[in-house]
Amino acid sequence: MNKLKNNSILVISDNADVGKDIVEKVKLLRECDTIRVVSYIESISVLHTSQPSLILLYCANSYSISIVNEIRKLKFLDKVPIIFIMDNFVEELLLYAFDNGVDDFFFLHDPDSIVLIRIFLTLQKAVLYKKTDTDKEILISAGIIDKEDRKSVV
């Protein structure tokens, strides 16, 4: 099974029109995935009940950073990638977002090909990180690396 198919994508936006636009664009490109749109306020409670493969967060203002912080506080979501969706380039906000756990970004009006590339590469990276974590656990359980400092014991 291709791990880059059948993903669950959560779109977080307080702007219904933006949420609809994002879903239409992503659905066109990623028809094999399920996509759900929630508001900023709903997002944390939804994330407690379902773990998406990817979070697309529309950044309308700096409040979006506090949502990223809340998501990153949830240990079971620490590996779920977050892509910021922005209307325009705001360097300070974008740098702050990356410092707080955002994995990538694209602009709301980027061409479909850019959106597809960003989503695909972010999902691909997440799959590789998960595989690396699984491989580490196998090596720990086999006694090849130490659980505490994760260095080789051989």
Side-chain angles (χ1 to χ4, degrees), residues 16-92:
D17 291 335
V18 168
K20 182 181 172 190
D21 290 347
I22 293 168
V23 168
E24 287 176 6
K25 184 176 277 200
V26 173
K27 195 68 174 170
L28 174 69
L29 303 169
R30 302 279 309 169
E31 62 187 29
C32 54
D33 299 328
T34 58
I35 304 165
R36 181 175 179 188
V37 180
V38 297
S39 69
Y40 291 159
I41 292 172
E42 297 171 303
S43 63
I44 299 302
S45 62
V46 166
L47 288 167
H48 278 287
T49 60
S50 63
Q51 183 174 346
S53 308
L54 175 66
I55 298 169
L56 300 177
L57 175 58
Y58 176 62
C59 176
N61 53 47
S62 58
Y63 181 68
S64 305
I65 298 295
S66 63
I67 294 171
V68 172
N69 290 332
E70 289 299 313
I71 293 169
R72 290 303 182 219
K73 284 180 190 174
L74 302 172
K75 202 63 177 155
F76 61 95
L77 294 173
D78 65 346
K79 301 272 196 253
V80 175
I82 301 171
I83 298 179
F84 244 31
I85 303 168
M86 304 178 76
D87 287 317
N88 49 43
F89 183 76
V90 180
E91 182 177 10
E92 186 175 315

